[in-house]
């Protein structure tokens, strides 16, 4: 698929055909099963100042928190109890947690269980990444948001696309299943930029690809910008399914932040993963990378059951499997 064709599809040239093809390919490869990933958002401290993110260091209106290793492991134990095959250990770029702290989480989470552990910890060193892999971490999610250098620099001051790509390569060398993704309709993003981004994501041959719409946060420099289009996000998800048939693609919480029910609808246009939060409800509202991130004010058990119900509502089956990379298994 060429960039010009992708741009036309993003503009709505053939929504029925695009969505139908993406849904059929997803069912063919995943047999109507949807993987659940339980997310443990253990710290909302971040050293970065991304202009779109509510956790940015300069935001003084965030109630900051950190969970200790025992608290994180309690969330992992709950994931096992609820038959969730993967936990995602996620934070802002918070270097107060040492390599050994994270190693304890990995080893503890996998003790007496075949649960997969995905890390989403930002820009850690190559030595740390290799160490955590040796401790048993299975996957690492490092979103790039956009490959356009000028837009990236505008959205993520002081950071570069090249550094992000270098780190993705380090993750691949360490043996992780590797995930990345983009935000659709970032302020300054054009259809051509997004089309190029989708092609570049596919070219990276990733195990996991995440795409979600821009949701403005009022306490950021982008707070007054227009929210992203859910339809554009759906088109991007469907295109990515066609470009990367075996990738694990989540239907993100950002969709529901813009419209209730949009996350489950995403499962009909190419997604095969949902990621309910297991973060304790005492702090989960503070992990507000955008408004509505954890808007479902309930305990983790209720969030997981709500996610399973959403899957069933669109005629799919919530899976308890680890849900490893089909791309790897197929060579």
């Amino acid at each position: 698929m060429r960039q010009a064709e992708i741009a036309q599809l993003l503009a709505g040239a053939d929504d029925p055909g695009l969505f139908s093809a993406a849904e059929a390919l997803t069912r063919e490869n995943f047999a109507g099963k949807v993987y659940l990933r339980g997310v443990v958002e253990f710290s909302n401290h971040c050293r970065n100042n991304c202009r779109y993110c509510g956790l940015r260091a300069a935001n003084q209106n965030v109630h900051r928190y950190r969970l200790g290793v025992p608290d994180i492991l309690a969330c992992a134990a709950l994931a096992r109890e609820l038959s969730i095959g993967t936990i995602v250990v996620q934070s802002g770029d918070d270097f107060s947690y040492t390599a050994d702290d994270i190693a304890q989480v990995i080893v503890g989470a996998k003790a007496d269980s075949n649960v997969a552990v995905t890390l989403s910890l930002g820009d850690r060193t190559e030595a740390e990444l290799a160490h955590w892999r040796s401790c048993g971490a299975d996957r690492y999610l490092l979103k790039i948001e956009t490959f356009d250098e000028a837009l990236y620099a505008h959205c993520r001051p002081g950071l570069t696309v090249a550094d992000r790509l270098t780190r993705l390569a380090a993750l691949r060398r360490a043996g992780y299943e590797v995930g990345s993704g983009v935000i659709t309709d970032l302020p300054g993003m054009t259809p051509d930029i997004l089309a190029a981004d989708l092609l570049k994501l596919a070219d990276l041959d990733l195990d996991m690809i995440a795409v979600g719409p821009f949701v403005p946060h009022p306490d950021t420099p982008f707070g007054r910008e227009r929210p992203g289009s859910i339809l554009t996000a759906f088109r991007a998800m469907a295109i990515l399914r066609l470009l990367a048939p075996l990738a694990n693609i989540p239907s993100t919480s950002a969709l529901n932040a813009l419209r209730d029910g949009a996350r489950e609808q995403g499962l009909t246009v190419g997604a095969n993963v949902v990621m309910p939060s297991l973060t304790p409800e005492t702090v989960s509202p503070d992990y507000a990378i955008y408004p509505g991130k954890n808007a479902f004010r309930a305990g983790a058990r209720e969030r997981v059951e709500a996610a399973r119900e959403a899957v069933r509502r669109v005629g799919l089956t919530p899976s308890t499997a680890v849900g490893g990379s089909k791309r790897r298994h197929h060579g």
Side-chain angles (χ1 to χ4, degrees):
M1 196 181 297
R2 296 182 178 179
Q3 185 172 329
E5 182 183 356
I6 292 173
Q8 289 175 347
L9 290 171
L10 288 170
D14 183 18
D15 284 346
L18 173 63
F19 294 150
S20 176
E23 182 176 28
L25 192 55
T26 307
R27 284 186 177 269
E28 176 185 334
N29 286 320
F30 298 95
K33 303 289 177 60
V34 174
Y35 302 133
L36 268 68
R37 319 297 204 198
V39 185
V40 184
E41 299 143 326
F42 65 90
S43 169
N44 67 351
H45 288 257
C46 190
R47 64 177 187 165
N48 295 328
N49 264 312
C50 301
R51 289 191 166 103
Y52 52 82
C53 182
L55 303 189
R56 64 196 313 266
N59 185 4
Q60 300 299 309
N61 295 326
V62 183
H63 179 261
R64 304 285 179 176
Y65 72 90
R66 290 186 173 104
L67 300 182
V69 170
D71 296 318
I72 302 171
L73 290 177
C75 296
L78 180 60
R80 292 196 295 270
E81 181 184 337
L82 297 175
S83 299
I84 292 177
T86 296
I87 64 163
V88 181
V89 183
Q90 184 175 69
S91 71
D93 276 41
D94 184 357
F95 280 34
S96 71
Y97 291 86
T98 67
D100 286 341
D101 290 334
I102 303 302
Q104 287 181 53
V105 170
I106 297 163
V107 173
K110 295 180 76 74
D112 304 317
S113 172
N114 67 346
V115 67
V117 174
T118 299
L119 303 178
S120 182
L121 309 178
D123 292 327
R124 304 298 290 241
T125 68
E126 184 165 0
E128 288 173 313
L129 299 175
H131 175 53
W132 295 332
R133 176 66 184 138
S134 72
C135 291
D138 301 278
R139 308 168 189 151
Y140 202 104
L141 177 61
L142 190 71
K143 290 182 68 179
I144 197 155
E145 315 306 13
T146 180
F147 293 83
D148 185 89
E149 292 185 11
L151 181 58
Y152 190 96
H154 179 57
C155 294
R156 309 194 74 223
L159 304 173
T160 67
V161 172
D163 285 346
R164 209 67 159 175
L165 291 174
T166 296
R167 206 159 266 105
L168 286 170
L171 289 166
R172 197 180 297 280
R173 285 194 299 273
Y176 286 91
E177 291 184 23
V178 182
S180 191
V182 298
I183 298 174
T184 58
D185 290 320
L186 274 169
M189 177 177 276
T190 66
D192 283 341
I193 288 175
L194 178 55
D197 283 347
L198 298 182
L199 274 175
K200 287 173 182 174
L201 274 177
D203 287 344
L204 286 176
D205 203 18
L206 296 160
D207 301 287
M208 306 170 280
I209 305 176
V211 56
F214 167 68
V215 182
H217 192 295
D219 296 324
T220 68
F222 288 173
R224 295 181 179 274
E225 299 287 348
R226 183 191 300 272
S229 160
I230 291 174
L231 188 53
T232 298
F234 284 164
R235 290 166 179 160
M237 292 163 63
I239 291 164
L240 283 170
R241 173 56 67 208
L242 301 184
L243 292 172
L246 299 177
N248 283 316
I249 299 177
S251 194
T252 67
S253 58
L255 291 164
N256 259 21
L258 292 180
R259 189 182 73 215
D260 190 40
R263 182 175 67 167
E264 64 197 72
Q265 190 179 353
L267 296 170
T268 70
V269 296
N272 70 301
V273 172
V274 291
M275 301 172 65
S277 172
L278 298 178
T279 307
E281 60 184 309
T282 52
V283 296
S284 62
D286 295 319
Y287 201 81
I289 53 180
Y290 46 77
K293 170 66 176 73
N294 286 329
F296 184 45
R297 300 298 174 87
R301 294 173 188 275
E302 290 78 13
R303 291 182 222 135
V304 170
E305 185 50 38
R308 288 189 165 125
E309 273 303 310
V311 170
R312 295 185 188 108
R313 277 196 297 272
V314 290
L316 300 170
T317 304
S319 174
T320 59
V322 167
S325 172
K326 287 183 176 287
R327 184 192 66 82
R328 292 190 175 201
H329 298 328
H330 284 71

